[in-house]
Amino acid sequence: MNDWQRKSPLDWETYVNKMVKVAAIEKHEYEGWVLTIDPVSASIVLATFLENEKVSISVVLGHAVQEVEILKEGDDEMKQRLSCIFAPEES
Amino acid sequence: GDVAAQGVRAALRQRYLRGLAAARGRPTRFCLREGVWVDAVFGAADVDAVAFQVDALRTPLGVQAAALLRCADVLAYSFLL
């Protein structure tokens, strides 16, 4: 297990709704807004908003995460936008 | 302490599972070790994060109707909503 995988849910929660840069193994880098971190695998789910109003989701697996740097805090509008992405469909 | 952490853990996990549900059926690019990437249609993941089940895995030899990708071989994956 790496340092990222050993963090507690309360540690992971501090990254939610923030813009981060994830450094992964083999020199891969990913940037996006943190939607969540899976507490089982420590995988990070990132969202990026594209120009055509589509949303790109990237998931970096916990075992591949080396470092996560916070670039920007999300304001209330961004938090609202992020919370809608995976919201259950109304029935 | 523990109760608060457990509540946060449940909330994080629920959002992650909703993300998996959103991925289902979408064309997804998987980034593997050693600079290799493959395209497939996302199917499902097991609860313990051991493997991903995918459909229509594109390989140099053709399209595999169904396949399992081991999580240990996958660094990241992405898809469009």
Side-chain angles (χ1 to χ4, degrees):
Chain A
M1 277 219 284
N2 60 37
D3 289 347
W4 174 255
Q5 288 171 299
R6 270 191 286 268
K7 285 187 184 290
S8 80
L10 295 169
D11 292 330
W12 286 321
E13 194 195 27
T14 61
Y15 293 87
V16 173
N17 294 327
K18 286 169 193 173
M19 164 71 86
V20 300
K21 179 154 83 179
V22 179
I25 57 175
E26 300 191 7
K27 296 183 183 167
H28 290 274
E29 277 191 356
Y30 301 87
E31 262 186 45
W33 293 96
V34 178
L35 286 168
T36 190
I37 292 109
D38 175 29
V40 174
S41 62
S43 298
I44 309 178
V45 184
L46 302 173
T48 42
F49 298 98
L50 308 180
E51 285 171 12
N52 54 6
E53 294 192 358
K54 282 193 176 284
V55 181
S56 171
I57 304 292
S58 292
V59 181
V60 187
L61 275 75
H63 71 80
V65 174
Q66 287 184 318
E67 213 174 315
V68 184
E69 182 192 348
I70 294 174
L71 302 177
K72 209 186 328 183
E73 306 274 331
D75 57 15
D76 286 345
E77 191 190 333
M78 180 53 73
K79 283 180 197 172
Q80 180 63 27
R81 213 172 158 190
L82 294 170
S83 72
C84 292
I85 290 179
F86 292 152
E89 287 175 31
E90 289 172 39
S91 54
Chain B
D2 281 358
V3 174
Q6 191 59 27
V8 168
R9 190 180 157 86
L12 291 171
R13 178 70 172 167
Q14 186 181 50
R15 217 171 186 187
Y16 176 74
L17 294 175
R18 289 223 175 97
L20 286 181
R24 187 169 180 80
R26 294 187 192 272
T28 301
R29 175 159 292 182
F30 290 86
C31 171
L32 309 178
R33 286 179 183 271
E34 296 180 13
V36 177
W37 50 262
V38 290
D39 289 320
V41 173
F42 198 96
D46 56 357
V47 289
D48 301 321
V50 174
F52 297 109
Q53 185 269 314
V54 299
D55 297 311
L57 176 70
R58 302 172 82 90
T59 76
L61 290 175
V63 178
Q64 292 275 346
L68 284 178
L69 298 177
R70 285 189 311 174
C71 291
D73 297 330
V74 177
L75 304 187
Y77 61 92
S78 26
F79 57 91
L80 286 181
L81 287 180

